[in-house]
Amino acid sequence: MDIGAHVSTAGGIDKAIGRAVEIGAEAVQVFASSPRAWAFKPPTDQAVGAFKQGASKAKLGPTVFHAVYLVALGAPDEALLLKSMESLINYMQTAERLGASGVIFHPASHRGAGYEAVEAQMVGAVHQVLKSAPGKVWLALENSAGMGDHIGSRFEELGRLVKAINHPRIRVCLDTQHAWAANYDVASPRGLDETLKQFDKAIGLKLLAAVHANDSKTERGSGVDRHENIGEGTIGADGFSTILAHPALGKVPFYLEVPGFDNSGPDKKNIDILTRLRKEAGAAR
Ligand SMILES: [Zn+2]
Ligand SMILES: [Zn+2]
């Protein structure tokens, strides 16, 4: 698997490539705009060209976008729903221009209404997004830690949503920290095997498009979304050794979303730990 990282696009989307190369990332995840605002300005053709050229020259693996945090397809508020859809459409269209593989988004909260109450709205919204952004780019739902009525902490719920959407371009992203917080054991060989069996049964491993490789500040089952540097958290280096060795994950790109050892985001040290563990596990890039 490629060991990638979320990197900043400050100064232009093409600037992400140099940052990825600098830390030794083999693939990149980026935001296409500020993740805490709705404002969206499409990158220029020049920036898109420079990105594609740089990614190819650096032999980077699949590029993915992470959607803005405000996206909430289960929101009861019509204006918020429309903004969420518009934001995802912009991201999907930009991903297509950039030659990116897909866009990952959080199913977000049902706002106390319960999953059943928002399912139909979410399915309709996802279909509208995919229709408005034709092409090859996939759209992935990310599993949640289960905080604040967030949808998709259980694989069964995520699988139910995926089946209800029933679209060839729908995928799933597995965040190791979120799964751990949602009480899935991803750290021990038997636990990970069981977790991936459950994922396969409820969702289907063939739909797993990306892994967010994050250690956890909180205990397993905490329900709290707090990422930690690899080896510094409760999943630990041994846990990641197990994860990197699992054959079911061998061809899935990994993206770090860790705080960084100097708190400036995914860094060379985190990448180096994962690449060393991958080598020790006998897994290939
Ligand atoms: Zn994540
Ligand atoms: Zn998270």
Side-chain angles (χ1 to χ4, degrees):
M1 78 282 289
D2 290 314
I3 293 173
H6 188 99
V7 292
S8 162
T9 56
I13 201 154
D14 49 316
K15 300 291 184 290
I17 302 294
R19 294 185 181 113
V21 169
E22 200 177 298
I23 61 172
E26 297 166 342
V28 293
Q29 173 178 283
V30 287
F31 294 120
S33 59
S34 163
R36 289 183 175 80
W38 290 117
F40 182 81
K41 204 171 134 241
T44 61
D45 287 340
Q46 196 191 356
V48 168
F51 183 98
K52 287 172 103 164
Q53 205 173 21
S56 144
K57 197 172 158 224
K59 296 189 167 56
L60 293 184
T63 297
V64 296
F65 279 170
H66 194 295
V68 307
Y69 296 134
L70 307 174
V71 165
L73 297 184
D77 172 351
E78 172 102 28
L80 179 52
L81 173 62
L82 291 174
K83 276 188 167 145
S84 301
M85 288 163 63
E86 192 190 331
S87 177
L88 283 176
I89 292 166
N90 284 332
Y91 266 56
M92 292 290 288
Q93 290 174 344
T94 306
E96 196 71 41
R97 282 177 67 205
L98 206 72
S101 299
V103 176
I104 297 165
F105 77 106
H106 297 162
S109 173
H110 57 65
R111 314 274 172 125
Y115 167 76
E116 276 82 5
V118 301
E119 185 187 81
Q121 176 180 314
M122 292 191 73
V123 170
V126 166
H127 274 268
Q128 189 57 52
V129 167
L130 288 164
K131 212 173 129 187
S132 305
K136 286 191 295 189
V137 171
W138 45 251
L139 181 62
L141 299 152
E142 178 171 351
N143 68 309
S144 76
M147 277 166 92
D149 295 333
H150 277 217
I151 294 162
S153 62
R154 306 311 307 164
F155 296 162
E156 289 76 11
E157 193 169 88
L158 218 46
R160 191 178 150 177
L161 183 52
V162 163
K163 283 186 185 81
I165 293 167
N166 186 28
H167 193 285
R169 287 197 285 143
I170 201 76
R171 297 287 184 280
V172 170
C173 167
L174 179 69
D175 187 303
T176 55
Q177 194 281 329
H178 300 176
W180 182 252
N183 209 17
Y184 289 103
D185 178 7
V186 295
S188 77
R190 276 182 65 178
L192 179 66
D193 219 41
E194 181 54 34
T195 296
L196 293 176
K197 271 196 190 115
Q198 288 183 32
F199 185 99
D200 195 34
K201 189 164 171 244
I203 300 164
L205 276 168
K206 63 180 187 303
L207 296 186
L208 179 61
V211 167
H212 280 166
N214 302 312
D215 210 328
S216 179
K217 277 197 204 300
T218 58
E219 294 303 318
R220 180 180 150 199
S222 66
V224 178
D225 180 350
R226 292 280 181 277
H227 304 185
E228 181 56 287
N229 295 314
I230 306 298
E232 301 276 289
T234 50
I235 297 175
D238 286 350
F240 277 92
S241 181
T242 301
I243 292 166
L244 291 159
H246 202 287
L249 304 177
K251 290 200 165 66
V252 184
F254 279 42
Y255 302 91
L256 284 155
E257 299 174 314
V258 292
F261 286 93
D262 61 2
N263 281 311
S264 60
D267 50 15
K268 187 166 187 329
K269 196 168 168 189
N270 275 285
I271 299 264
D272 285 350
I273 295 169
L274 282 188
T275 44
R276 177 174 54 79
L277 292 173
R278 178 180 64 187
K279 197 174 168 201
E280 284 170 11
R285 175 177 173 188

